[in-house]
Amino acid sequence: MDGSDSSTQIARQGAAEAYDGPPDQRTGARHAVYPDLSHDEVERFNFLAQMNHHLATRVAPMVESTWDARVEPRFEAEHGRKPKDRTEARRALLADPVFKTWSALRRMTMEQRQEAGRWAAVRQSESLAAKVASLSDHGRLTLDPTVLVPRYVAAVDHHCMPGSYHTELFPGDVSGPASYDSGIHVTVGGRGGPYNDGIGRTMAAWIKETYPDFKPARILDLGVTTAHNTLPMALAFPETEVIGVDIGVPVLRYGAARAEALGVRNVRFLQADASNLSQFEDGSFDLVMTTMFLHELSLSSMDAIFREARRVLAPGGLMLNMEQPAYAGMPPFEQAIRDWDAHYNNEPFWTTLHSLNLDDHFVAAGFDRDKLVKKVFTAPAGPAGHTRIGMVFVGAET
Amino acid sequence: MSIANALLHASDKPAGKRPYFLDPEVERVMTITMAIAQELAVARQRIDTLERLLEAKGVVPRAELESFTPSPEQYAERALWSQEYINRILRIVQQEGQAAEAGAKGDLPIPDVTQEIS
């Protein structure tokens, strides 16, 4: 350092070169049903993305170093042994001010993100509903009012999203998915690309690389929500009929209009509970996919969904699920940190899912143990402090 | 209608009992403080936008902002605003100080006065 202030340093080096953090929310792709965001609404998202970046890159490492320096030693001094599991690790962490401050800031940043998105979306909810209605009338959306919202959705508001995927403030309201669509930037820090579709693009690329001759006639995406990760699959397989299923009417309406706005023709949306797909015949799909879906289920619904997936898949087909990795083999501290969302971010099935041996559940659903599929991706540090494994694909061939 | 809905629902509570990691009174104040920090950042970015637009349109070069020196009169106006501002946000500090003095002079809790005059 030569004593000059940081802004002079940046000016000399070039701010763009010196900068390491989330991109401007404005660089995210807009489409015809994307909410109009004022200057200050964008800056609210940008601030919150920076908060998550700061918590992940500056504070989360201190949680880990504090664990090494005093939390685990204190536990050992009291118990004469190391913490044996994630529950003991979490309870020990809850007594430490660094973990408590990090947790309090993570929780309030998530709550601020929800407020920021809801403010922008709800204030224009009538015009958004009108835009979606004008774009949805192309036969690509099929609603079924007999579909019930299951308890594991109705009772939860996953990731602290008020109203979850299914609540309307008035008939035709899409403010929930509009808030979700515009606020994803805060959660993923722009790492999903301008359309927040990185998982879908990765899945399409991996399938094409791994199964170069695979030409699915029909793809079924379960828990499609707003179809961020569905559209890259539909674009990667333009001859394929893609059907997205969800229990949430607002997300289906918004997703259908968003697909229309982005000109993706080969995708349809259907209101259905994925644990009962009786409208589809046995063997009528070549690929059943889910992305970040399994951890928002319940154990019984997940098993039912696996059975339905197996039933509707044709021979030579594939079920592929993108998820966070299982806990098995990870040290208690890492498990406790990865399990934060289960306890403090409204993800009640998270712990169970990541503690299961999913292979057994695929086999119990009728998949062949010799045809199970698993691919692990590593990723750089993310906002949740999960630095080691980015995501996994798990599933089975038929 | 939409604005009324936004005022009613933008800050809706998600399902589930909220976890508190700190003393709830401390965490409440911290939560309000972080919301204000967010709005300060938003205001700072808005000023930056304004400065850049003024420069781009040839109205005020940013270098001129950096080298701006208020006249004694202008400085006094700004300094008075700062004093007013600090007085306002630290009102409770002033009032707690005055309370010590007032107490010594027999300042009573209002319920005591109520009893006295009823």
Side-chain angles (χ1 to χ4, degrees):
Chain A
M1 297 294 285
D2 59 9
S4 61
D5 67 43
S6 62
S7 60
T8 314
Q9 293 256 330
I10 287 170
R12 194 171 300 148
Q13 194 184 358
E17 283 167 43
Y19 178 65
D20 175 27
D24 188 353
Q25 204 270 357
R26 295 172 185 86
T27 61
R30 303 299 199 244
H31 48 77
V33 289
Y34 197 88
D36 291 327
L37 300 178
S38 71
H39 176 282
D40 292 2
E41 286 165 348
V42 168
E43 294 300 348
R44 222 161 265 140
F45 283 140
N46 278 343
F47 171 79
L48 295 169
Q50 294 293 353
M51 272 298 299
N52 276 332
H53 180 71
H54 180 89
L55 290 172
T57 61
R58 303 271 182 255
V59 187
M62 287 193 290
V63 174
E64 185 156 6
S65 58
T66 306
W67 169 263
D68 292 336
R70 68 181 182 210
V71 180
E72 193 180 46
R74 192 176 294 153
F75 184 97
E76 269 191 275
E78 277 176 31
H79 297 85
R81 59 173 176 80
K82 289 179 183 295
K84 67 177 189 295
D85 58 24
R86 62 177 168 267
T87 303
E88 286 190 351
R90 183 170 60 86
R91 290 193 178 139
L93 283 163
L94 277 170
D96 194 273
V98 169
F99 179 82
K100 289 199 285 189
T101 302
W102 175 69
S103 296
L105 287 166
R106 276 188 80 181
R107 171 79 188 201
M108 66 185 72
T109 302
M110 178 51 100
E111 291 172 352
Q112 280 174 267
R113 170 261 168 275
Q114 298 298 344
E115 191 278 338
R118 284 173 71 77
W119 174 264
V122 176
R123 72 164 175 81
Q124 58 190 295
S125 50
E126 282 135 349
S127 61
L128 283 173
K131 277 196 266 186
V132 163
S134 74
L135 280 166
S136 298
D137 194 22
H138 295 269
R140 68 160 80 226
L141 173 64
T142 308
L143 299 181
D144 178 359
T146 66
V147 173
L148 299 175
V149 176
R151 172 90 180 137
Y152 62 82
V153 173
V156 174
D157 288 351
H158 286 95
H159 36 79
C160 296
M161 184 167 74
S164 189
Y165 304 103
H166 61 285
T167 305
E168 301 171 313
L169 295 176
F170 54 86
D173 177 38
V174 292
S175 59
S179 168
Y180 181 68
D181 191 16
S182 53
I184 289 177
H185 175 84
V186 173
T187 316
V188 304
R191 283 172 300 116
Y195 287 98
N196 294 300
D197 61 354
I199 296 166
R201 282 185 284 114
T202 303
M203 186 177 268
W206 184 78
I207 289 172
K208 290 208 161 193
E209 183 192 320
T210 311
Y211 307 98
D213 300 325
F214 188 47
K215 298 275 183 285
R218 293 177 92 201
I219 294 176
L220 182 62
D221 185 0
L222 304 177
V224 64
T225 69
T226 51
H228 285 103
N229 295 308
T230 322
L231 299 194
M233 291 290 288
L235 290 167
F237 298 100
E239 307 301 315
T240 302
E241 180 189 18
V242 181
I243 298 175
V245 158
D246 208 288
I247 50 89
V249 172
V251 288
L252 289 165
R253 278 205 196 97
Y254 188 88
R258 182 177 177 273
E260 188 73 27
L262 293 171
V264 183
R265 314 298 309 179
N266 55 324
V267 55
R268 292 196 290 123
F269 296 79
L270 174 68
Q271 184 184 6
D273 185 327
S275 62
N276 176 7
L277 298 170
S278 53
Q279 58 272 67
F280 298 124
E281 289 179 14
D282 295 2
S284 54
F285 288 90
D286 305 295
L287 173 63
V288 176
M289 62 178 276
T290 76
T291 53
M292 290 297 277
F293 172 64
L294 303 183
H295 70 259
E296 295 187 0
L297 300 173
S298 67
L299 188 56
S300 60
S301 69
M302 186 189 77
D303 286 336
I305 287 167
F306 285 178
R307 286 193 295 272
E308 280 294 78
R310 178 66 191 88
R311 182 183 67 76
V312 301
L313 275 171
L318 176 67
M319 187 193 195
L320 202 58
N321 309 276
M322 178 273 164
E323 259 303 339
Q324 299 279 319
Y327 291 154
M330 291 177 184
F333 170 77
E334 185 178 352
Q335 292 192 29
I337 295 298
R338 286 179 177 276
D339 216 37
W340 191 95
D341 292 89
H343 296 275
Y344 311 122
N345 193 23
N346 279 17
E347 299 284 3
F349 188 53
W350 186 280
T351 308
T352 305
L353 178 75
H354 297 116
S355 307
L356 292 174
N357 182 339
L358 277 183
D359 290 356
D360 294 342
H361 289 259
F362 288 124
V363 171
F367 291 98
D368 189 335
R369 195 175 286 278
D370 297 333
K371 293 185 173 180
L372 297 177
V373 171
K374 184 170 185 181
K375 165 70 184 170
V376 177
F377 292 83
T378 52
H386 302 162
T387 55
R388 293 166 182 86
I389 304 171
M391 58 171 147
V392 294
F393 287 157
V394 289
E397 299 165 16
T398 54
Chain B
M1 170 66 179
S2 288
I3 284 288
N5 258 338
L7 286 167
L8 277 175
H9 294 298
S11 298
D12 277 351
K13 172 195 166 304
K17 194 163 181 266
R18 189 187 192 283
Y20 280 84
F21 301 92
L22 312 171
D23 178 333
E25 309 241 317
V26 172
E27 192 159 329
R28 182 185 308 126
V29 174
M30 188 178 181
T31 302
I32 295 168
T33 308
M34 288 312 297
I36 295 171
Q38 168 185 270
E39 293 309 306
L40 177 64
V42 169
R44 170 67 181 76
Q45 301 293 18
R46 195 173 181 92
I47 293 166
D48 183 84
T49 299
L50 197 58
E51 290 178 7
R52 288 176 196 276
L53 286 174
L54 288 172
E55 179 169 67
K57 290 175 185 298
V59 181
V60 181
R62 298 184 84 211
E64 236 175 80
L65 281 166
E66 294 304 334
S67 60
F68 174 72
T69 307
S71 69
E73 179 64 20
Q74 288 170 334
Y75 174 78
E77 280 179 21
R78 289 154 67 112
L80 279 169
W81 181 86
S82 296
Q83 291 178 349
E84 174 193 338
Y85 178 63
I86 291 167
N87 266 353
R88 188 169 292 131
I89 60 177
L90 294 185
R91 173 182 47 78
I92 189 67
V93 177
Q94 176 182 335
Q95 293 189 355
E96 286 179 359
Q98 289 173 335
E101 203 182 328
K105 289 181 182 167
D107 196 20
L108 294 171
I110 292 301
D112 291 1
V113 179
T114 305
Q115 220 168 26
E116 199 181 308
I117 66 176
S118 299

